[in-house]
Amino acid sequence: MSNIVTQRFIKCHDKLKSDGTVRSSRQFALSVDYLPQSLSEILKGRRDATVSLMEKTIDKYKVNPVYLFTGDGPMFMTEEENQDFRTLTIVTTVNEDERIVHVPIPAQAGYAAEHTDPNFIQDLPSYVLPDYKYKVGTHRSFDVAGDSMEPTLFEGDKVVCSYLEPTLWETGVKSNYVYVIITRADVLVQRVSNLVKESRQLELISDNLYYERTTIKLNDIREIWYVRARISPFLPSPQNIKNLVREEVFELRKTMQQQSRLIENLNATITQLVNQRRD
């Protein structure tokens, strides 16, 4: 039994044949540099479509990758939508399963500026997670920098995200959810308010109330990633935290007592000097 993405791939193949875009499955296979025998196995449900095959099909026949990976939107892209579509560089395992590329803080400025360079992406660390939701679609993880999202996210946390196609920005970006916004110069982790229909903008909201809300124009955005999970550093047990707080309170109390004695001694000295001057 083939997976749901392969089933959608087969529907796209069948649509191309019924429309007369390709005359046969053999012609289709050869046009995307794929073995006809292997394609036959996919069409019979005996194996799944590979990432490489889907990439070539998207490029050759303008199949909508949003439909292919999520089931949303039309099966094929219009010319205007295809011009807006940015092909992401991905990293795969030996079995052609897509890996999650991680973008650490030192690489984020370079990612924003040079993320279309395949070599740059392939040199970044990558990994896999066991959950099935990370087996479908393209995912990235990013280090959280700064304190703008405290207390929800802290510096040192990592957020695991799903790629949101530009064709879905208007309807797919959910207000009050957290996203990673890639601009032409920066990587931003922010809660957003969707203002695309009203003004072709997103409002960026920090959970840390010290920071004011800002807006960003859609034209200045290169990528949008929906935050699905957080990876945080391991913390001490609650009992250890209580002991740590107790020790800090004890030290603070001792310091305050020492300062109180110093103030009392200073007051006594001042009083003695004043009395001596009067005499």
Side-chain angles (χ1 to χ4, degrees):
M1 180 68 179
S2 55
N3 66 39
I4 187 63
V5 177
T6 297
Q7 292 174 26
R8 296 191 193 109
F9 170 83
I10 294 173
K11 289 181 180 179
C12 294
H13 162 272
D14 294 345
K15 179 66 172 173
L16 290 170
K17 283 183 64 178
S18 64
D19 289 348
T21 305
V22 295
R23 294 190 304 274
S24 64
S25 297
R26 176 180 175 79
Q27 182 195 3
F28 173 86
L30 295 176
S31 70
V32 291
D33 195 25
Y34 199 71
L35 289 175
Q37 304 95 300
S38 298
L39 177 63
S40 178
E41 292 293 297
I42 293 173
L43 298 178
K44 292 176 181 178
R46 295 174 181 171
R47 63 186 298 180
D48 288 321
T50 65
V51 173
S52 176
L53 173 60
M54 288 187 286
E55 282 184 332
K56 291 178 180 178
T57 303
I58 290 169
D59 183 60
K60 177 73 175 179
Y61 295 107
K62 313 309 178 193
V63 171
N64 184 359
V66 179
Y67 167 78
L68 204 56
F69 291 112
T70 71
D72 295 329
M75 192 176 291
F76 298 93
M77 294 185 292
T78 64
E79 285 302 318
E80 181 180 355
E81 289 170 334
N82 187 56
Q83 290 173 0
D84 292 336
F85 174 68
R86 296 183 180 92
T87 302
L88 294 178
T89 299
I90 62 173
V91 178
T92 59
T93 66
V94 292
N95 296 324
E96 296 197 17
D97 293 324
E98 191 169 336
R99 296 174 64 86
I100 299 173
V101 174
H102 178 64
V103 186
I105 290 176
Q108 288 184 1
Y111 182 87
E114 302 292 343
H115 73 282
T116 55
D117 181 1
N119 293 327
F120 180 88
I121 300 299
Q122 291 167 1
D123 288 340
L124 293 174
S126 63
Y127 59 97
V128 295
L129 289 174
D131 199 316
Y132 179 75
K133 66 185 178 184
Y134 300 116
K135 304 297 182 183
V136 178
T138 297
H139 300 85
R140 295 271 194 273
S141 63
F142 301 85
D143 280 345
V144 175
D147 61 354
S148 66
M149 286 303 293
E150 292 182 3
T152 306
L153 298 169
F154 294 86
E155 187 161 21
D157 286 349
K158 295 172 174 56
V159 288
V160 185
C161 315
S162 298
Y163 181 61
L164 189 65
E165 301 288 352
T167 54
L168 291 180
W169 288 359
E170 182 174 326
T171 58
V173 174
K174 303 175 183 178
S175 293
N176 297 318
Y177 282 68
V178 180
Y179 292 83
V180 174
I181 309 296
I182 311 299
T183 70
R184 300 179 185 278
D186 208 352
V187 174
L188 306 171
V189 184
Q190 296 278 267
R191 201 172 297 280
V192 307
S193 179
N194 190 337
L195 305 177
V196 176
K197 288 184 179 180
E198 297 89 335
S199 57
R200 304 293 294 172
Q201 295 182 113
L202 292 179
E203 183 178 37
L204 306 183
I205 307 166
S206 299
D207 284 4
N208 187 339
L209 300 180
Y210 177 81
Y211 295 90
E212 295 183 356
R213 297 187 177 200
T214 60
T215 57
I216 184 170
K217 296 179 181 178
L218 239 56
N219 291 340
D220 295 328
I221 299 174
R222 286 187 163 181
E223 297 172 5
I224 297 179
W225 298 83
Y226 168 56
V227 175
R228 306 192 71 173
R230 176 185 68 182
I231 303 174
S232 298
F234 178 75
L235 296 175
S237 69
Q239 187 61 41
N240 288 341
I241 293 176
K242 288 180 181 178
N243 292 337
L244 180 62
V245 172
R246 189 179 297 113
E247 290 174 3
E248 289 181 348
V249 170
F250 176 77
E251 291 296 328
L252 180 59
R253 182 183 295 134
K254 187 164 63 173
T255 300
M256 293 176 65
Q257 290 173 347
Q258 291 173 347
Q259 290 178 344
S260 296
R261 286 194 293 269
L262 288 174
I263 293 172
E264 289 174 0
N265 292 336
L266 180 60
N267 286 334
T269 301
I270 292 173
T271 300
Q272 185 179 5
L273 291 174
V274 169
N275 290 336
Q276 290 176 353
R277 178 169 295 181
R278 288 176 179 174
D279 295 341

